[in-house]
Amino acid sequence: MVNFKELGLVNTREMFAKAIKGGYAIPAFNFNNMEQLQAIIKASAETKSPVILQVSKGARNYANQTLLRYMAQGAVEYAKELGWEHPQICLHLDHGDSFELCKSCVDFGFSSVMIDASSLPYEENIALTKKVVDYAHQFDVTVEAELGVLAGVEDEVASEVSHYTKPEEVVDFATRTGCDSLAISIGTSHGAYKFTPEQCTRDPQTGRLVPPPLAFDVLDAIMEQLPGFPIVLHGSSSVPQEYVDMINATGGKLPDAVGIPEEQLRKAAASAVCKINIDSDSRLAFTAAVRKVFWEKPGEFDPRKYCGPARDLMTELYKHKIINVLGSNGKAE
């Protein structure tokens, strides 16, 4: 058993309370490799933003749970080395799908876990979520739950259609499970293809897809039912078109990739939404930078020469999200 406090990590309780009061959102960035982790920590340290390092079930298997624990501990020390005296870094399981997985993450030093039982019938979702909460809270590990279903694909999580969260269920669910935060469905979606062309309109000037707006009326109704309760948005990458264009110009094929407009995320961040998940954007940045190197220098085979530029581009992306979208910069001096 490794307690997250031994690694220098924090849970989400205090950072969420401050975010709701301050009208900003905490960035929750997924990572799968060292370069992503370096970029996240560098951007967070330079902007003094609290940050949630998100690891999916697939990413945990990819990295190895023991290495991951030491990577998290190393991230805290790296942040201090960069001049961030008191780093506020959370290590969070994204979309845990079983009690056993959540328990294992708690035991290996995660400071926060998500149990996603949203695909189960309502009562089963409550029962499994409460079981995870009861275990995690013994070790001061915070728990995120999900009510409603997001469309799209992310690692092992996939759904063809979304089901908005029902505001009339949130009080009962939060009360009976004891969860610390609630992921809701209001129209965000996993992956780089968040909407079909049929769901969008096209900008007559650029020809690009314009996605439908998020269901802020549902969010407002949820906030009315659960005033001051931490709300989470999954599937909130914006799919920057400059990265899509870079990929397509260097041999890639991402037709009609579209994400959530940043102005809608800024609006959400100013509400009770205090955690916004971003994964696909960094994947796109990484891929765009690597493709550019291979396109311009097809003989390159030193990983540092193509992973380095990818790391730099991701750092720029993370800083942009922190400062210009979420507003979390300067909140963890």
Side-chain angles (χ1 to χ4, degrees):
M1 178 78 193
V2 179
N3 189 278
F4 69 87
K5 294 170 186 175
E6 298 170 21
L7 307 180
L9 300 168
V10 300
N11 64 27
T12 60
R13 195 169 291 115
E14 186 177 342
M15 61 170 66
F16 283 177
K18 288 181 177 179
I20 292 173
K21 188 176 180 180
Y24 60 91
I26 309 294
F29 297 131
N30 288 68
F31 79 98
N32 300 275
N33 59 26
M34 182 185 73
E35 287 78 16
Q36 282 181 307
L37 181 59
Q38 288 175 312
I40 293 168
I41 297 305
K42 192 168 189 291
S44 301
E46 289 181 358
T47 59
K48 296 297 187 292
S49 169
V51 68
I52 296 170
L53 302 173
Q54 292 208 145
V55 180
S56 67
K57 176 183 176 181
R60 186 171 184 249
N61 291 337
Y62 180 80
N64 174 268
Q65 60 186 14
T66 303
L67 277 174
L68 191 58
R69 177 209 312 171
Y70 290 105
M71 288 176 77
Q73 188 173 19
V76 173
E77 296 307 314
Y78 178 43
K80 293 177 181 176
E81 191 178 293
L82 291 171
W84 195 6
E85 191 174 350
H86 301 292
Q88 292 183 23
I89 300 171
C90 169
L91 180 63
H92 174 76
L93 170 66
D94 190 25
H95 288 292
D97 60 0
S98 68
F99 171 78
E100 291 74 21
L101 175 60
C102 292
K103 179 181 182 300
S104 178
C105 288
V106 170
D107 295 347
F108 266 82
F110 278 62
S111 55
S112 178
V113 295
M114 177 195 187
I115 177 63
D116 181 1
S118 59
S119 62
L120 298 177
Y122 181 72
E123 289 296 332
E124 292 180 34
N125 186 354
I126 287 178
L128 180 52
T129 300
K130 186 177 188 309
K131 185 177 180 182
V132 171
V133 168
D134 287 346
Y135 183 78
H137 280 185
Q138 296 177 75
F139 308 100
D140 202 26
V141 172
T142 42
V143 178
E144 175 185 328
E146 182 163 333
L147 196 55
V149 179
L150 271 68
V153 178
E154 179 186 37
D155 287 359
E156 299 84 4
V157 183
S159 178
E160 291 186 6
V161 295
S162 65
H163 300 285
Y164 285 173
T165 303
K166 298 176 182 176
E168 63 270 20
E169 292 180 344
V170 295
V171 173
D172 179 66
F173 184 87
T175 302
R176 290 171 61 191
T177 62
C179 64
D180 299 286
S181 61
L182 185 63
I184 64 169
S185 174
I186 59 168
T188 55
S189 178
H190 292 128
Y193 296 91
K194 299 189 182 301
F195 306 98
T196 64
E198 292 74 27
Q199 293 174 297
C200 305
T201 57
R202 284 197 184 270
D203 185 319
Q205 302 296 322
T206 65
R208 296 192 190 277
L209 294 178
V210 179
L214 298 180
F216 281 100
D217 57 329
V218 176
L219 174 60
D220 290 341
I222 290 169
M223 291 192 299
E224 186 176 325
Q225 293 292 321
L226 280 177
F229 194 83
I231 301 298
V232 177
L233 282 189
H234 283 244
S236 296
S237 284
S238 299
V239 188
Q241 290 302 305
E242 61 264 34
Y243 301 155
V244 174
D245 291 344
M246 283 174 67
I247 291 170
N248 290 338
T250 53
K253 192 175 182 181
L254 288 175
D256 290 334
V258 63
I260 309 298
E262 289 187 341
E263 61 268 21
Q264 294 198 43
L265 296 177
R266 278 191 285 270
K267 181 179 178 181
S271 70
V273 173
C274 58
K275 173 177 179 275
I276 292 182
N277 292 12
I278 297 169
D279 184 7
S280 295
D281 285 354
S282 63
R283 297 185 186 199
L284 290 167
F286 190 100
T287 302
V290 170
R291 277 192 170 276
K292 186 173 186 290
V293 173
F294 285 153
W295 187 262
E296 296 174 351
K297 300 176 182 178
E300 186 57 73
F301 65 95
D302 182 347
R304 295 170 296 181
K305 297 294 178 62
Y306 51 85
C307 287
R311 181 179 61 192
D312 293 342
L313 191 57
M314 288 189 295
T315 303
E316 289 179 23
L317 165 72
Y318 294 135
K319 290 176 72 172
H320 166 73
K321 295 290 185 183
I322 288 168
I323 297 169
N324 300 313
V325 181
L326 308 179
S328 60
N329 51 304
K331 303 301 192 295
E333 297 288 353

